[in-house]
Amino acid sequence: MLFFCIAWDSFLVFWYATALSAAAGPGFSLFAIIFPIAHVAVGIGLTYWTICAFFNTTLITLNLNRLTVRHGPVPWRGNAHLDPAGVIGVRIARNGHNNEEPRYKVTFKTDKGQDHQILGWLERDRARYLRDWLRYELAIR
């Protein structure tokens, strides 16, 4: 993804440099400025995701009062502070595919019937390990 992002973003920089330098001349086209806006959004999103994939780690901590999931150092969605007191079950479920290899998410169910995702897009062995660790620590079967 790193090389794809470099190519994608470089092309957009070239596109806008060309379009804006032509803006002063007779070849100015508002279409050339507006058309790639969706491409810029995709480039920003993919570049941010790639940076997070390189630098972020996930830390899961559990004590009597709180289960904390933190992704960092680059901000990413999925940070959570959950109360483990009402947890009645921890499960894994299929989440999708990554190059034809299934990915899994780990969720827990509360006594109020709510499902909370703890972590997603894991390999099967890591998902099972996290599930088993949480079941052991929370004394859940």
mmCIF file with all atom_site columns, all heavy atoms in Angstrom, residues 66-78:
data_model
loop_
_atom_site.group_PDB
_atom_site.id
_atom_site.type_symbol
_atom_site.label_atom_id
_atom_site.label_alt_id
_atom_site.label_comp_id
_atom_site.label_asym_id
_atom_site.label_entity_id
_atom_site.label_seq_id
_atom_site.pdbx_PDB_ins_code
_atom_site.Cartn_x
_atom_site.Cartn_y
_atom_site.Cartn_z
_atom_site.occupancy
_atom_site.B_iso_or_equiv
_atom_site.pdbx_formal_charge
_atom_site.auth_seq_id
_atom_site.auth_comp_id
_atom_site.auth_asym_id
_atom_site.auth_atom_id
_atom_site.pdbx_PDB_model_num
ATOM 1   N N   . ARG A 1 66 ? -12.616 -1.998 34.407 1.00 0.00 ? 66 ARG A N   1
ATOM 2   C CA  . ARG A 1 66 ? -12.589 -1.484 33.045 1.00 0.00 ? 66 ARG A CA  1
ATOM 3   C C   . ARG A 1 66 ? -11.791 -2.379 32.103 1.00 0.00 ? 66 ARG A C   1
ATOM 4   O O   . ARG A 1 66 ? -10.729 -2.858 32.445 1.00 0.00 ? 66 ARG A O   1
ATOM 5   C CB  . ARG A 1 66 ? -11.970 -0.096 33.059 1.00 0.00 ? 66 ARG A CB  1
ATOM 6   C CG  . ARG A 1 66 ? -11.914 0.548  31.700 1.00 0.00 ? 66 ARG A CG  1
ATOM 7   C CD  . ARG A 1 66 ? -11.563 1.971  31.805 1.00 0.00 ? 66 ARG A CD  1
ATOM 8   N NE  . ARG A 1 66 ? -12.706 2.635  32.408 1.00 0.00 ? 66 ARG A NE  1
ATOM 9   C CZ  . ARG A 1 66 ? -12.860 3.931  32.458 1.00 0.00 ? 66 ARG A CZ  1
ATOM 10  N NH1 . ARG A 1 66 ? -11.953 4.718  31.969 1.00 0.00 ? 66 ARG A NH1 1
ATOM 11  N NH2 . ARG A 1 66 ? -13.926 4.462  33.007 1.00 0.00 ? 66 ARG A NH2 1
ATOM 12  N N   . LEU A 1 67 ? -12.345 -2.542 30.910 1.00 0.00 ? 67 LEU A N   1
ATOM 13  C CA  . LEU A 1 67 ? -11.635 -3.146 29.790 1.00 0.00 ? 67 LEU A CA  1
ATOM 14  C C   . LEU A 1 67 ? -11.325 -1.992 28.836 1.00 0.00 ? 67 LEU A C   1
ATOM 15  O O   . LEU A 1 67 ? -12.227 -1.282 28.396 1.00 0.00 ? 67 LEU A O   1
ATOM 16  C CB  . LEU A 1 67 ? -12.498 -4.192 29.075 1.00 0.00 ? 67 LEU A CB  1
ATOM 17  C CG  . LEU A 1 67 ? -11.953 -4.732 27.764 1.00 0.00 ? 67 LEU A CG  1
ATOM 18  C CD1 . LEU A 1 67 ? -10.742 -5.609 28.032 1.00 0.00 ? 67 LEU A CD1 1
ATOM 19  C CD2 . LEU A 1 67 ? -13.006 -5.508 27.024 1.00 0.00 ? 67 LEU A CD2 1
ATOM 20  N N   . THR A 1 68 ? -10.045 -1.795 28.560 1.00 0.00 ? 68 THR A N   1
ATOM 21  C CA  . THR A 1 68 ? -9.631  -0.680 27.718 1.00 0.00 ? 68 THR A CA  1
ATOM 22  C C   . THR A 1 68 ? -8.947  -1.200 26.466 1.00 0.00 ? 68 THR A C   1
ATOM 23  O O   . THR A 1 68 ? -8.069  -2.051 26.547 1.00 0.00 ? 68 THR A O   1
ATOM 24  C CB  . THR A 1 68 ? -8.655  0.238  28.489 1.00 0.00 ? 68 THR A CB  1
ATOM 25  O OG1 . THR A 1 68 ? -9.267  0.662  29.698 1.00 0.00 ? 68 THR A OG1 1
ATOM 26  C CG2 . THR A 1 68 ? -8.263  1.443  27.668 1.00 0.00 ? 68 THR A CG2 1
ATOM 27  N N   . VAL A 1 69 ? -9.376  -0.677 25.321 1.00 0.00 ? 69 VAL A N   1
ATOM 28  C CA  . VAL A 1 69 ? -8.745  -0.966 24.043 1.00 0.00 ? 69 VAL A CA  1
ATOM 29  C C   . VAL A 1 69 ? -8.244  0.359  23.506 1.00 0.00 ? 69 VAL A C   1
ATOM 30  O O   . VAL A 1 69 ? -9.018  1.304  23.343 1.00 0.00 ? 69 VAL A O   1
ATOM 31  C CB  . VAL A 1 69 ? -9.745  -1.608 23.048 1.00 0.00 ? 69 VAL A CB  1
ATOM 32  C CG1 . VAL A 1 69 ? -9.067  -1.887 21.713 1.00 0.00 ? 69 VAL A CG1 1
ATOM 33  C CG2 . VAL A 1 69 ? -10.360 -2.867 23.622 1.00 0.00 ? 69 VAL A CG2 1
ATOM 34  N N   . ARG A 1 70 ? -6.926  0.443  23.260 1.00 0.00 ? 70 ARG A N   1
ATOM 35  C CA  . ARG A 1 70 ? -6.345  1.688  22.779 1.00 0.00 ? 70 ARG A CA  1
ATOM 36  C C   . ARG A 1 70 ? -5.451  1.411  21.580 1.00 0.00 ? 70 ARG A C   1
ATOM 37  O O   . ARG A 1 70 ? -4.591  0.547  21.623 1.00 0.00 ? 70 ARG A O   1
ATOM 38  C CB  . ARG A 1 70 ? -5.526  2.353  23.870 1.00 0.00 ? 70 ARG A CB  1
ATOM 39  C CG  . ARG A 1 70 ? -5.021  3.710  23.419 1.00 0.00 ? 70 ARG A CG  1
ATOM 40  C CD  . ARG A 1 70 ? -4.074  4.337  24.392 1.00 0.00 ? 70 ARG A CD  1
ATOM 41  N NE  . ARG A 1 70 ? -3.531  5.605  24.005 1.00 0.00 ? 70 ARG A NE  1
ATOM 42  C CZ  . ARG A 1 70 ? -2.891  5.906  22.899 1.00 0.00 ? 70 ARG A CZ  1
ATOM 43  N NH1 . ARG A 1 70 ? -2.748  5.033  21.960 1.00 0.00 ? 70 ARG A NH1 1
ATOM 44  N NH2 . ARG A 1 70 ? -2.389  7.102  22.683 1.00 0.00 ? 70 ARG A NH2 1
ATOM 45  N N   . HIS A 1 71 ? -5.684  2.185  20.505 1.00 0.00 ? 71 HIS A N   1
ATOM 46  C CA  . HIS A 1 71 ? -4.869  2.121  19.302 1.00 0.00 ? 71 HIS A CA  1
ATOM 47  C C   . HIS A 1 71 ? -4.039  3.398  19.252 1.00 0.00 ? 71 HIS A C   1
ATOM 48  O O   . HIS A 1 71 ? -4.566  4.490  19.448 1.00 0.00 ? 71 HIS A O   1
ATOM 49  C CB  . HIS A 1 71 ? -5.735  2.047  18.045 1.00 0.00 ? 71 HIS A CB  1
ATOM 50  C CG  . HIS A 1 71 ? -6.766  0.956  18.085 1.00 0.00 ? 71 HIS A CG  1
ATOM 51  N ND1 . HIS A 1 71 ? -6.437  -0.368 17.941 1.00 0.00 ? 71 HIS A ND1 1
ATOM 52  C CD2 . HIS A 1 71 ? -8.102  0.994  18.287 1.00 0.00 ? 71 HIS A CD2 1
ATOM 53  C CE1 . HIS A 1 71 ? -7.530  -1.098 18.027 1.00 0.00 ? 71 HIS A CE1 1
ATOM 54  N NE2 . HIS A 1 71 ? -8.559  -0.294 18.240 1.00 0.00 ? 71 HIS A NE2 1
ATOM 55  N N   . GLY A 1 72 ? -2.764  3.274  18.968 1.00 0.00 ? 72 GLY A N   1
ATOM 56  C CA  . GLY A 1 72 ? -1.947  4.481  18.912 1.00 0.00 ? 72 GLY A CA  1
ATOM 57  C C   . GLY A 1 72 ? -0.554  4.149  18.430 1.00 0.00 ? 72 GLY A C   1
ATOM 58  O O   . GLY A 1 72 ? -0.233  2.993  18.208 1.00 0.00 ? 72 GLY A O   1
ATOM 59  N N   . PRO A 1 73 ? 0.266   5.136  18.185 1.00 0.00 ? 73 PRO A N   1
ATOM 60  C CA  . PRO A 1 73 ? 0.156   6.533  18.580 1.00 0.00 ? 73 PRO A CA  1
ATOM 61  C C   . PRO A 1 73 ? -0.670  7.406  17.633 1.00 0.00 ? 73 PRO A C   1
ATOM 62  O O   . PRO A 1 73 ? -1.108  8.488  18.013 1.00 0.00 ? 73 PRO A O   1
ATOM 63  C CB  . PRO A 1 73 ? 1.607   7.010  18.585 1.00 0.00 ? 73 PRO A CB  1
ATOM 64  C CG  . PRO A 1 73 ? 2.280   6.178  17.550 1.00 0.00 ? 73 PRO A CG  1
ATOM 65  C CD  . PRO A 1 73 ? 1.586   4.839  17.610 1.00 0.00 ? 73 PRO A CD  1
ATOM 66  N N   . VAL A 1 74 ? -0.902  6.963  16.398 1.00 0.00 ? 74 VAL A N   1
ATOM 67  C CA  . VAL A 1 74 ? -1.713  7.749  15.461 1.00 0.00 ? 74 VAL A CA  1
ATOM 68  C C   . VAL A 1 74 ? -3.183  7.499  15.787 1.00 0.00 ? 74 VAL A C   1
ATOM 69  O O   . VAL A 1 74 ? -3.597  6.347  15.927 1.00 0.00 ? 74 VAL A O   1
ATOM 70  C CB  . VAL A 1 74 ? -1.407  7.349  13.998 1.00 0.00 ? 74 VAL A CB  1
ATOM 71  C CG1 . VAL A 1 74 ? -2.199  8.196  13.032 1.00 0.00 ? 74 VAL A CG1 1
ATOM 72  C CG2 . VAL A 1 74 ? 0.084   7.464  13.709 1.00 0.00 ? 74 VAL A CG2 1
ATOM 73  N N   . PRO A 1 75 ? -3.994  8.533  15.955 1.00 0.00 ? 75 PRO A N   1
ATOM 74  C CA  . PRO A 1 75 ? -5.405  8.334  16.306 1.00 0.00 ? 75 PRO A CA  1
ATOM 75  C C   . PRO A 1 75 ? -6.124  7.418  15.309 1.00 0.00 ? 75 PRO A C   1
ATOM 76  O O   . PRO A 1 75 ? -5.950  7.534  14.100 1.00 0.00 ? 75 PRO A O   1
ATOM 77  C CB  . PRO A 1 75 ? -6.000  9.746  16.253 1.00 0.00 ? 75 PRO A CB  1
ATOM 78  C CG  . PRO A 1 75 ? -4.836  10.656 16.456 1.00 0.00 ? 75 PRO A CG  1
ATOM 79  C CD  . PRO A 1 75 ? -3.660  9.961  15.841 1.00 0.00 ? 75 PRO A CD  1
ATOM 80  N N   . TRP A 1 76 ? -6.924  6.493  15.842 1.00 0.00 ? 76 TRP A N   1
ATOM 81  C CA  . TRP A 1 76 ? -7.676  5.546  15.032 1.00 0.00 ? 76 TRP A CA  1
ATOM 82  C C   . TRP A 1 76 ? -8.964  5.214  15.758 1.00 0.00 ? 76 TRP A C   1
ATOM 83  O O   . TRP A 1 76 ? -9.008  5.190  16.989 1.00 0.00 ? 76 TRP A O   1
ATOM 84  C CB  . TRP A 1 76 ? -6.837  4.290  14.787 1.00 0.00 ? 76 TRP A CB  1
ATOM 85  C CG  . TRP A 1 76 ? -7.458  3.346  13.812 1.00 0.00 ? 76 TRP A CG  1
ATOM 86  C CD1 . TRP A 1 76 ? -8.049  2.158  14.089 1.00 0.00 ? 76 TRP A CD1 1
ATOM 87  C CD2 . TRP A 1 76 ? -7.572  3.516  12.395 1.00 0.00 ? 76 TRP A CD2 1
ATOM 88  N NE1 . TRP A 1 76 ? -8.512  1.573  12.936 1.00 0.00 ? 76 TRP A NE1 1
ATOM 89  C CE2 . TRP A 1 76 ? -8.231  2.392  11.868 1.00 0.00 ? 76 TRP A CE2 1
ATOM 90  C CE3 . TRP A 1 76 ? -7.177  4.524  11.512 1.00 0.00 ? 76 TRP A CE3 1
ATOM 91  C CZ2 . TRP A 1 76 ? -8.505  2.245  10.519 1.00 0.00 ? 76 TRP A CZ2 1
ATOM 92  C CZ3 . TRP A 1 76 ? -7.455  4.366  10.177 1.00 0.00 ? 76 TRP A CZ3 1
ATOM 93  C CH2 . TRP A 1 76 ? -8.104  3.236  9.683  1.00 0.00 ? 76 TRP A CH2 1
ATOM 94  N N   . ARG A 1 77 ? -10.006 4.908  15.008 1.00 0.00 ? 77 ARG A N   1
ATOM 95  C CA  . ARG A 1 77 ? -11.287 4.561  15.612 1.00 0.00 ? 77 ARG A CA  1
ATOM 96  C C   . ARG A 1 77 ? -11.184 3.204  16.318 1.00 0.00 ? 77 ARG A C   1
ATOM 97  O O   . ARG A 1 77 ? -10.316 2.396  16.002 1.00 0.00 ? 77 ARG A O   1
ATOM 98  C CB  . ARG A 1 77 ? -12.393 4.528  14.569 1.00 0.00 ? 77 ARG A CB  1
ATOM 99  C CG  . ARG A 1 77 ? -12.226 3.411  13.581 1.00 0.00 ? 77 ARG A CG  1
ATOM 100 C CD  . ARG A 1 77 ? -13.325 3.423  12.521 1.00 0.00 ? 77 ARG A CD  1
ATOM 101 N NE  . ARG A 1 77 ? -13.234 2.272  11.676 1.00 0.00 ? 77 ARG A NE  1
ATOM 102 C CZ  . ARG A 1 77 ? -12.568 2.202  10.541 1.00 0.00 ? 77 ARG A CZ  1
ATOM 103 N NH1 . ARG A 1 77 ? -11.919 3.261  10.112 1.00 0.00 ? 77 ARG A NH1 1
ATOM 104 N NH2 . ARG A 1 77 ? -12.544 1.103  9.839  1.00 0.00 ? 77 ARG A NH2 1
ATOM 105 N N   . GLY A 1 78 ? -12.064 2.973  17.246 1.00 0.00 ? 78 GLY A N   1
ATOM 106 C CA  . GLY A 1 78 ? -12.085 1.685  17.931 1.00 0.00 ? 78 GLY A CA  1
ATOM 107 C C   . GLY A 1 78 ? -11.570 1.723  19.349 1.00 0.00 ? 78 GLY A C   1
ATOM 108 O O   . GLY A 1 78 ? -11.608 0.716  20.042 1.00 0.00 ? 78 GLY A O   1
#
